[in-house]
Amino acid sequence: MLPFPITIAIDGPAASGKTTVGKMLADQLGYLFLDTGCMYRAVTAAALQQDTNLEDEAAVTHIAQTMQLEIASGAGYDDGRQYTVLLDGRDSTWEIRTPAVDANVSLVSSYLPVRQEMVRQQRAIGGKGGVVMVGRDIGTVVMPNAPLKLYITATAAERARRRLNDRQRQGQSGDYDHILADIIRRDEYDGSRTHSPMLPAADALILDSSDKPAATLVADILAMLESLSASQPVS
Ligand code: DC
């Protein structure tokens, strides 16, 4: 479809559907998929495991710089995972999704040296193109030259409903009001932090997924890519 592999940057708030859309898009294009949120989650899970004081920026940074993080395919598992996260060699795919990680990941991801280390690793993984990278700062900071930048959003109520469904599918309990409050708190924190706040890039296309199934959004994006490649050379 495209003359050569490009970088697709997808940003947006928690549970906006960006990860589902990004993974489907990557699979259809035969691209690498990188959900950068899992990297900040992995740092948080590792710090919690080691009983690190999460307010100790230097200690958390040390963990970010030394932990062995591997993101592998989710194929072969029937537990709904999109990919497998190995933290120091141990399968931590679900451990990075616990309420304790949800509650602390915004703080961990607000630390500049943690972000610098994650961005370095993200560019090393996706710098050659042929990648769909998903996060909060991909279009603005990590891959500002990506030829296609999307910002996928949805109402907070719809996002809370989706997060509750995810939890229930994984056999966890969850309270809608609690989840909604956490999503709103995280939106505020991630959007107002000093370093790389969650923001659409100036040239990002904003898509609302509240009333659109992921498959429809993916079809729209693929059609957009067709016209992009027909109208201009992409790099
Ligand atoms: O997408 P998610 O909910 O798994 O992300 C977890 C947290 O990581 C989120 O609260 C903000 C942070 N994050 C970030 O700061 N930058 C990214 N590129 C991705 C996630």
Side-chain angles (χ1 to χ4, degrees), residues 31-233:
Y31 280 17
L32 180 73
F33 172 67
L34 180 61
D35 172 17
T36 60
C38 85
M39 301 171 73
Y40 293 96
R41 286 175 175 276
V43 180
T44 310
L48 287 169
Q49 250 174 45
Q50 296 170 29
D51 269 338
T52 305
N53 174 4
L54 294 173
E55 308 224 325
D56 183 343
E57 181 175 321
V60 175
T61 299
H62 180 72
I63 291 174
Q65 291 170 340
T66 54
M67 71 179 190
Q68 293 299 313
L69 177 65
E70 201 184 320
I71 304 163
S73 155
Y77 293 87
D78 62 358
D79 58 2
R81 67 181 62 193
Q82 286 166 320
Y83 49 82
T84 295
V85 174
L86 295 168
L87 186 51
D88 295 321
R90 209 164 47 81
D91 185 351
S92 305
T93 307
W94 297 118
E95 192 185 323
I96 65 164
R97 307 260 159 219
T98 59
V101 171
D102 278 355
N104 290 291
V105 66
S106 280
L107 174 64
V108 166
S109 62
S110 71
Y111 295 144
L112 180 61
V114 171
R115 301 203 68 80
Q116 287 169 331
E117 175 60 21
M118 295 299 102
V119 170
R120 187 189 68 73
Q121 294 188 19
Q122 289 154 17
R123 288 183 180 147
I125 297 169
K128 292 197 187 78
V131 64
V132 178
M133 209 181 281
V134 174
R136 302 289 191 291
D137 60 343
I138 310 303
T140 51
V141 174
V142 184
M143 295 288 170
N145 296 324
L148 182 63
K149 296 178 192 165
L150 307 170
Y151 190 88
I152 300 183
T153 187
T155 62
E158 173 59 18
R159 292 187 283 128
R161 200 186 55 72
R162 290 178 190 166
R163 190 53 42 101
L164 179 63
N165 279 347
D166 290 346
R167 289 255 164 86
Q168 288 171 340
R169 255 201 315 271
Q170 290 155 22
Q172 296 172 12
S173 59
D175 170 65
Y176 173 84
D177 290 335
H178 213 122
I179 293 175
L180 178 62
D182 180 61
I183 279 187
I184 292 171
R185 182 188 61 79
R186 238 162 12 109
D187 283 356
E188 282 169 7
Y189 200 109
D190 296 342
S192 63
R193 69 181 174 218
T194 311
H195 309 296
S196 318
M198 172 176 73
L199 268 182
D203 52 349
L205 201 77
I206 298 182
L207 302 173
D208 190 325
S209 74
S210 304
D211 299 316
K212 269 200 175 174
T216 310
L217 274 178
V218 171
D220 291 351
I221 296 164
L222 288 171
M224 215 162 10
L225 275 173
E226 287 281 6
S227 55
L228 190 73
S229 70
S231 66
Q232 62 180 61

